[in-house]
Amino acid sequence: MRLLRAPLPAILFMTGTLCAQTLEQAESLWKQHRHTEANDVFRELVKAHPRNAGYRVRWGRLYLERFQPADAAQLFEEALKIDPNNAGGFLGLAQVAAEGFESKAVEFAHKALAADPKLLEAQELLARLALEDNDPKKAAEEAHRAIAMSPNAMQAKAILATIDWLNDKPETEWDPHAGPAYETAGAIFVLNRRYEEGIQFFRKAIELQPDLWSAHSQLGINLMRLGREDEARAQLEMCYENGYKDKPTVNTLRLMDSYKNFVTYKTDRTILRLQQKEAELLHPYFEAEMQRALSTYEKKYGIKLDRPVQVEVYPDHEDFAVRTMGMPGLGALGVTFGYVVAMDSPSGRPPGTFHWASTMWHELSHVYVLTMTKHRVPRWFTEGLAVHEETAVSPEWGDRLDPHVIAAIKDKKLLPVAELDRGFVRPSYPTQVIVSYFEAGRICDFINREWGWDKLLAMIHDFATGASTPDVIEKELGMPPEQFDKHFLASLEAETKKTVDGFDDWRKQLMKVAEEAKAGKNDDVIRDAVPIRDIYPDYVEAGNVYQFLADAYVAKNSKPAAIAELERFAKAGGRSPDTLKQLATLLEEAGNRKEAAEVLDRLNYIQPVDEELHRRLGDLWLGLGNAAGAIREYRAVLAQAPTDPAASHFSLAKAYRAYNRPGEAKDELLLSLEAAPGFRPAQKMLLELSR
Amino acid sequence: MKALVLLLAVALSMPPVTYAATYYLTVSGLGGEPDYEQRFGMWAADIGKILKTSDAADGKVETLVNGTREQVRAALERIAKEAQPQDAVVVMLIGHGSFDGYEYKINLPGPDLSAAELATLLDRIPATRQLVVNMTSSSGGSIEVLRRPNRVVIAATKTGTEKNATVFARYWVEALRDPAADTDKNDVVSALEAFRYADKKTAGFYDSQKRLATEHAVLEDTGKGDAVRAPSPENGEGQLAATFPLLRIGATASATKDPAKLELLAKKEQLEQQIDKLKYEKAAMAPEDYKKQLGALLLELARTQEALDK
């Protein structure tokens, strides 16, 4: 992929013969798509004129176009070292930052304009950045400034036209009738999750400029996102064959190649795509949860989807990441494209770090909200509702109040609701996306609590008309957004006051408790940990108070107290498989088998890729008379190619027998005895079933 | 799965092997730091405990936690004096190993013990059947020196260059403790069953931790081949390991001395052979036919076993 900077032998020969390269030569080669040769000429130019910032800027632009933004940024920085007021250098850095949705893009573009007030590209970029930030008013102002600089500013016109198109005004005076302009419109529509319309713009772009490979690539990627794989592949292969091999194109083709290793399950309203090696294991859990979520949402949102929802589950996080390339925000666990949801598999994450069911409910909520609003919904609202839905299923689900959020509340860094989209699209500090998810979720919780679910539904319908956040807040909640912010913040601060105020002390005390635990001072642990436990009850990560206390109680043989602590851990949303299994063991030892089974069942939503879990839960459920549950668990054991197939088939046979399905019980017995013909318990049951 | 079935079939069709005794020697070496020191010692001690409580050990279990080269030598020399050709010997090594490209050594307090020296000591033992389970880092570097006909060699790493500390020993201990390791349910955990159990659990460990696996256990039991990750009839490895009883975990039905039951025993053996043969033919049969015939044979076997148990 590093085509440009690495000298190829043929080029080396050529460079030896070139002695008086000019910028015109480089630009001409570049224009002819002879990128390697252009690169070589630039290298010679820079070597011959080490103090020329302009050459470095142009060379950087070549890198930027040829998918090497890091190398490009280095050249722009070098140019700025030579000439600290170089407008092209700042513009280049702004473009690199804009590609990565970094907040510095705006700052660099302003610096470029300050250095050269007539730099049209910088002005046009500011217009685009404002529209990406969901600020059409500012975007229009910036675009008009660009047009004032040059009446033919194509990208500025594209921004003004896109604003009209986003507002469902197909006839616009600003339509620039140019491929790159339609490509810009397509990108903005995709950013607004209006994929179908985005695709139409990419098609228009290609129609006008058939060799606009970046538009072909975007068309292919978005077709893939919506599940139209044949056409997507054709577009992407066309890009590849024509030398357009940027990361999104290549990685998407690779991902599509890997689809042969996936299994697809279909029902009348679901399509579930799972990786072959874990399909048999995950299918029952994912299918059941998908159906449950769809039924719940159908009632809650009051609509029936007109086609099946597709959920794709990727055990390799890199495959999933390909799905989110070029998208702003985290996209860390799941992402929704209309009726297609892509998400991580629980096997793709370290055990205990990922609640797959919570993520699935989150993403499926997007499907409803995007459908109801025809994708005309601000990001903060659809994300907020999705976060709200996670804890609506169970308070144990969803994300916990984490230290980044506590710091943001403390430092008054939460954004006003009218500007909250910015926190998702172009974060101004590294953890702002996480903080924005939390804030959006709590806003929806707040509205639901104070005004009721119907208001949230009404807001969805308002957004569907294209209304803005301030207008919707004003209309449905009867107050301007600024007043809403005050109410919300007062409520949030009251809710989190104990944790926010006590956080520093809590941290110090927790360190002390950790030291005491390490030294085996169990009485000290109990004395010091209990008072801090409730200051920050949401802290359930490694080194949490609950675990320290439980260990101390177990060491002192106070098992009921240990159980109580670990139950608090579970209720607070604790997800460590080891800790939850420890709780199940303690409960089982105390004779509370039903509760033990419930604890283990929680793990099915967190880390179902665990043979021991399913075996234990199967045994518990069989003992408790839940034969259907036991069947599911033993089947999960078998789906993982267990170390002991004979015993696993035998367990399943027992469950089938208890469920009064003797035929299947006998089949499983035969499989058990096929693996171990002398297995006495299985032989005994075979005789019983045969009598 | 197919490979396993074939292998079991081969194993079951072999004449039953009886040993007068099995000698076990477990050695844990230097940990280098307290964590490893404690872990290695604990695993070795656990193996010792499990073996001592099993029926078959018959008091011939020796465990050297932080054992020196001299202690290992002395222990193996004692076995060499006592053991008979029909006996078996099992040597298990836990700890850190090193391999410089030529020579493998296990790190022990004082001078280390090389694979070559261990091989010499083992060669002096008259017990025909031998099992060496080298669970140290770099243990793959010891295979070439240790392999010999009638000796099963298991190493936690496929080469001497896998130098990171291993977890294979943890799951080897678990294989001795967990009845699930006895996959054919004959109340005996064979060397092959324990290898497969520990190997699968080791791979699962790295997988669940999302860590790149730094150890890949291998087995060699022909004395002349390359050690393999997955022993099978196709690669010719695993036949000896499948019939090498590492641990008896229950009341193995030793051949009854009741003459009245000899006929039943013969019938049982015949049925088992028929089942093995049928499994061989499975691929070429219609599934329903196979199921029907298998069901009938298994039922008859169960009835025969029931009669034997009366």
Side-chain angles (χ1 to χ4, degrees):
Chain A
M1 288 300 287
R2 287 179 62 89
L3 293 174
L4 301 172
R5 227 164 188 186
L8 298 169
I11 304 307
L12 270 177
F13 171 75
M14 211 178 100
T15 49
T17 62
L18 289 171
C19 49
Q21 289 89 346
T22 63
L23 182 62
E24 288 69 30
Q25 279 178 321
E27 297 283 354
S28 166
L29 287 164
W30 182 357
K31 208 171 173 185
Q32 294 169 56
H33 303 292
R34 292 162 67 183
H35 301 110
T36 314
E37 293 159 71
N39 174 56
D40 209 65
V41 176
F42 272 124
R43 185 188 301 108
E44 290 300 315
L45 271 174
V46 164
K47 203 170 152 190
H49 307 279
R51 299 296 302 162
N52 187 317
Y55 291 165
R56 286 177 198 271
V57 168
R58 289 304 296 161
W59 196 12
R61 291 294 290 267
L62 174 65
Y63 272 103
L64 191 57
E65 189 187 293
R66 299 308 296 168
F67 334 121
Q68 288 177 237
D71 292 319
Q74 195 184 326
L75 281 163
F76 298 138
E77 277 160 10
E78 285 169 14
L80 285 165
K81 268 187 199 153
I82 297 164
D83 172 11
N85 205 30
N86 188 292
F90 283 124
L91 173 62
L93 287 178
Q95 286 169 322
V96 172
E99 272 195 8
F101 295 96
E102 291 170 34
S103 61
K104 282 204 152 193
V106 179
E107 182 191 325
F108 285 132
H110 276 300
K111 282 186 177 170
L113 273 175
D116 178 1
K118 289 183 180 170
L119 191 59
L120 179 64
E121 266 189 288
Q123 186 56 54
E124 288 185 318
L125 180 60
L126 278 173
R128 179 179 176 141
L129 293 172
L131 194 53
E132 284 182 358
D133 285 348
N134 198 19
D135 191 343
K137 196 172 158 234
K138 193 173 173 196
E141 285 166 13
E142 300 286 10
H144 281 298
R145 278 192 200 113
I147 288 168
M149 287 177 185
S150 165
N152 295 322
M154 183 186 63
Q155 287 296 342
K157 285 184 182 175
I159 294 300
L160 290 171
T162 304
I163 293 170
D164 284 341
W165 290 325
L166 284 169
N167 289 322
D168 298 318
K169 292 178 195 160
E171 299 306 322
T172 170
E173 60 178 306
W174 301 108
D175 187 343
H177 300 287
Y182 291 136
E183 187 185 3
T184 299
I188 300 285
F189 270 84
V190 165
L191 209 55
N192 280 273
R193 303 187 183 204
R194 290 166 67 170
Y195 302 104
E196 290 288 1
E197 291 153 284
I199 282 171
Q200 293 316 314
F201 281 109
F202 292 130
R203 286 192 200 283
K204 279 181 88 169
I206 293 163
E207 208 179 297
L208 285 180
Q209 192 177 327
D211 67 349
L212 191 57
W213 301 117
S214 51
H216 281 282
S217 171
Q218 281 307 307
L219 175 60
I221 287 166
N222 284 289
L223 285 167
M224 182 273 286
R225 284 170 174 163
L226 298 189
R228 287 175 227 162
E229 284 150 23
D230 291 345
E231 195 189 349
R233 181 182 281 282
Q235 288 295 334
L236 293 166
E237 280 176 350
M238 201 190 302
C239 290
Y240 193 87
E241 280 154 18
N242 281 283
Y244 192 83
K245 298 174 183 177
D246 68 334
K247 266 190 190 169
T249 304
V250 175
N251 289 348
T252 306
L253 277 169
R254 276 193 195 133
L255 174 66
M256 292 178 77
D257 283 344
S258 77
Y259 283 167
K260 63 178 184 295
N261 302 322
F262 282 73
V263 180
T264 304
Y265 301 91
K266 289 182 180 175
T267 70
D268 57 342
R269 59 178 185 171
T270 60
I271 300 168
L272 183 57
R273 179 181 270 172
L274 298 167
Q275 224 271 1
Q276 228 161 36
K277 63 182 181 188
E278 60 184 23
E280 205 183 329
L281 166 67
L282 298 184
H283 178 228
Y285 301 96
F286 274 68
E287 185 71 54
E289 214 46 34
M290 237 177 128
Q291 295 286 357
R292 186 162 82 102
L294 294 180
S295 299
T296 305
Y297 288 151
E298 221 167 83
K299 280 187 199 144
K300 249 184 128 169
Y301 291 97
I303 63 155
K304 246 185 160 70
L305 299 176
D306 64 1
R307 72 191 95 153
V309 179
Q310 180 165 324
V311 172
E312 299 170 2
V313 184
Y314 293 97
D316 184 346
H317 182 71
E318 293 310 310
D319 284 344
F320 166 70
V322 173
R323 283 297 221 147
T324 59
M325 273 187 97
M327 303 287 288
L330 279 182
L333 308 170
V335 65
T336 302
F337 304 99
Y339 280 72
V340 179
V341 169
M343 61 184 283
D344 269 335
S345 163
S347 66
R349 295 256 159 188
T353 60
F354 175 48
H355 197 296
W356 67 264
S358 193
T359 298
M360 182 193 271
W361 280 71
H362 177 113
E363 299 304 330
L364 290 176
S365 151
H366 286 318
V367 175
Y368 282 82
V369 176
L370 291 175
T371 304
M372 290 168 79
T373 57
K374 297 186 188 67
H375 297 238
R376 288 156 180 77
V377 58
R379 192 168 286 265
W380 77 265
F381 186 74
T382 181
E383 292 298 355
L385 258 188
V387 171
H388 167 79
E389 292 294 7
E390 289 181 70
T391 42
V393 187
S394 163
E396 294 172 16
W397 291 19
D399 291 330
R400 306 292 98 187
L401 180 67
D402 79 4
H404 302 303
V405 176
I406 293 169
I409 296 172
K410 196 173 181 181
D411 301 339
K412 312 271 180 211
K413 279 185 166 176
L414 298 189
L415 289 168
V417 65
E419 294 172 34
L420 190 46
D421 265 12
R422 191 156 47 83
F424 290 93
V425 180
R426 205 174 309 285
S428 59
Y429 55 93
T431 56
Q432 193 174 23
V433 178
I434 295 169
V435 173
S436 300
Y437 270 95
F438 169 85
E439 184 184 348
R442 287 298 179 97
I443 287 176
C444 290
D445 291 344
F446 180 63
I447 296 171
N448 185 52
R449 196 169 59 234
E450 298 296 318
W451 285 272
W453 174 252
D454 285 346
K455 277 290 173 204
L456 284 166
L457 268 186
M459 289 172 79
I460 295 176
H461 293 301
D462 292 338
F463 283 124
T465 67
S468 67
T469 294
D471 290 347
V472 172
I473 297 271
E474 181 94 49
K475 181 185 168 198
E476 298 300 339
L477 310 182
M479 61 181 78
E482 298 75 20
Q483 197 183 335
F484 172 81
D485 287 334
K486 276 185 198 155
H487 282 300
F488 165 67
L489 283 176
S491 162
L492 181 69
E493 280 167 8
E495 265 175 60
T496 56
K497 187 174 175 20
K498 196 169 164 187
T499 305
V500 173
D501 291 352
F503 182 71
D504 292 339
D505 187 46
W506 171 87
R507 198 164 44 187
K508 272 183 218 151
Q509 290 297 317
L510 186 66
M511 283 166 74
K512 187 180 170 199
V513 169
E515 289 298 319
E516 289 163 354
K518 204 173 166 188
K521 295 174 180 171
N522 297 315
D523 288 326
D524 294 357
V525 168
I526 293 165
R527 183 196 64 216
D528 294 332
V530 171
I532 61 165
R533 182 187 59 208
D534 301 328
I535 292 176
Y536 185 7
D538 265 15
Y539 188 76
V540 287
E541 305 307 319
N544 64 77
V545 176
Y546 307 104
Q547 185 70 66
F548 285 132
L549 277 168
D551 290 346
Y553 285 130
V554 168
K556 288 173 67 68
N557 209 21
S558 305
K559 289 189 179 174
I563 289 174
E565 284 311 323
L566 294 179
E567 278 177 337
R568 282 193 188 96
F569 168 81
K571 284 203 175 86
R575 287 165 193 176
S576 155
D578 287 345
T579 308
L580 291 172
K581 281 184 189 172
Q582 184 191 4
L583 172 58
T585 303
L586 288 168
L587 285 165
E588 221 179 323
E589 285 170 3
N592 302 328
R593 302 180 71 212
K594 187 168 170 283
E595 289 80 356
E598 283 166 5
V599 169
L600 291 179
D601 194 28
R602 274 186 179 91
L603 280 171
N604 274 330
Y605 297 102
I606 298 166
Q607 184 46 278
V609 189
D610 182 343
E611 188 187 322
E612 186 213 349
L613 160 72
H614 298 294
R615 185 176 296 114
R616 278 185 72 181
L617 186 53
D619 291 349
L620 278 168
W621 271 347
L622 191 59
L624 290 162
N626 178 5
I631 289 170
R632 187 180 76 168
E633 295 310 310
Y634 290 138
R635 287 179 69 92
V637 172
L638 283 162
Q640 290 174 86
T643 33
D644 189 353
S648 307
H649 283 294
F650 179 58
S651 296
L652 184 54
K654 284 192 289 185
Y656 274 130
R657 195 181 184 194
Y659 204 53
N660 203 20
R661 284 159 69 171
E664 281 145 304
K666 202 167 173 184
D667 286 348
E668 290 302 323
L669 269 184
L670 290 186
L671 289 168
S672 169
L673 288 164
E674 185 187 31
F679 188 20
R680 301 285 179 84
Q683 284 184 330
K684 197 164 166 269
M685 194 197 288
L686 183 65
L687 289 171
E688 285 164 8
L689 285 173
S690 304
R691 272 168 198 148
Chain B
M1 194 63 194
K2 192 181 165 197
L4 174 68
V5 168
L6 289 174
L7 199 63
L8 281 172
V10 171
L12 286 166
S13 60
M14 291 184 71
V17 182
T18 51
Y19 303 112
T22 302
Y23 292 82
Y24 296 92
L25 173 64
T26 309
V27 182
S28 73
L30 284 173
E33 52 187 85
D35 238 21
Y36 286 124
E37 201 82 34
Q38 192 256 343
R39 225 178 288 175
F40 295 160
M42 182 183 74
W43 289 336
D46 282 353
I47 291 175
K49 258 186 249 163
I50 295 165
L51 293 174
K52 276 185 178 162
T53 52
S54 84
D55 294 342
D58 198 20
K60 293 176 173 57
V61 177
E62 187 159 0
T63 307
L64 297 173
V65 173
N66 261 333
T68 63
R69 186 172 69 176
E70 283 317 306
Q71 286 173 317
V72 177
R73 269 186 193 161
L76 289 172
E77 279 163 6
R78 266 196 307 278
I79 295 172
K81 275 184 199 155
E82 283 180 31
Q84 301 299 311
Q86 67 271 28
D87 292 338
V89 61
V90 179
V91 175
M92 290 170 273
L93 306 176
I94 298 168
H96 295 305
S98 64
F99 182 67
D100 60 7
Y102 301 100
E103 190 176 40
Y104 164 87
K105 283 179 179 174
I106 176 172
N107 304 158
L108 301 176
D112 294 341
L113 177 73
S114 72
E117 191 174 0
L118 178 64
T120 308
L121 290 163
L122 286 167
D123 287 346
R124 287 183 196 145
I125 297 174
T128 318
R129 291 220 182 188
Q130 300 187 352
L131 166 64
V132 183
V133 191
N134 188 349
M135 295 174 268
T136 69
S137 45
S138 297
S139 47
S142 67
I143 298 164
E144 206 178 319
V145 179
L146 288 171
R147 72 182 174 191
R148 193 197 76 170
N150 283 322
R151 182 182 293 156
V152 181
V153 181
I154 290 171
T157 75
K158 66 180 172 192
T159 62
T161 53
E162 289 190 326
K163 291 178 176 176
N164 289 356
T166 58
V167 294
F168 183 83
R170 171 178 161 188
Y171 297 111
W172 182 264
V173 177
E174 215 177 278
L176 300 181
R177 196 183 276 143
D178 185 353
D182 174 24
T183 52
D184 63 3
K185 305 295 165 203
N186 65 352
D187 290 340
V188 175
V189 177
S190 71
L192 184 64
E193 285 174 328
F195 169 77
R196 287 195 167 125
Y197 180 98
D199 181 47
K200 186 169 165 32
K201 294 269 180 172
T202 302
F205 166 81
Y206 286 100
D207 202 34
S208 71
Q209 299 295 312
K210 302 287 158 235
R211 282 167 54 184
L212 198 65
T214 51
E215 60 187 291
H216 301 86
V218 288
L219 183 148
E220 204 295 313
D221 66 356
T222 65
K224 53 191 180 206
D226 287 334
V228 295
R229 293 273 302 120
S232 70
E234 285 76 21
N235 57 38
E237 297 284 355
Q239 193 169 319
L240 180 60
T243 56
F244 196 112
L246 177 65
L247 181 76
R248 294 174 202 281
I249 54 173
T252 313
S254 54
T256 175
K257 286 172 184 156
D258 182 353
K261 291 187 175 173
L262 284 176
E263 200 180 323
L264 283 170
L265 273 174
K267 187 180 176 188
K268 184 187 164 193
E269 199 171 312
Q270 194 188 9
L271 283 166
E272 284 170 347
Q273 282 170 6
Q274 280 178 273
I275 290 167
D276 291 339
K277 189 168 170 285
L278 188 69
K279 284 182 190 172
Y280 263 125
E281 292 161 359
K282 184 179 182 178
M285 290 175 76
E288 273 314 303
D289 254 11
Y290 172 77
K291 193 175 154 186
K292 201 173 159 191
Q293 289 187 42
L294 180 72
L297 286 171
L298 288 171
L299 186 61
E300 199 47 40
L301 181 65
R303 283 183 182 134
T304 309
Q305 186 64 55
E306 189 183 42
L308 269 169
D309 289 344
K310 273 180 190 164

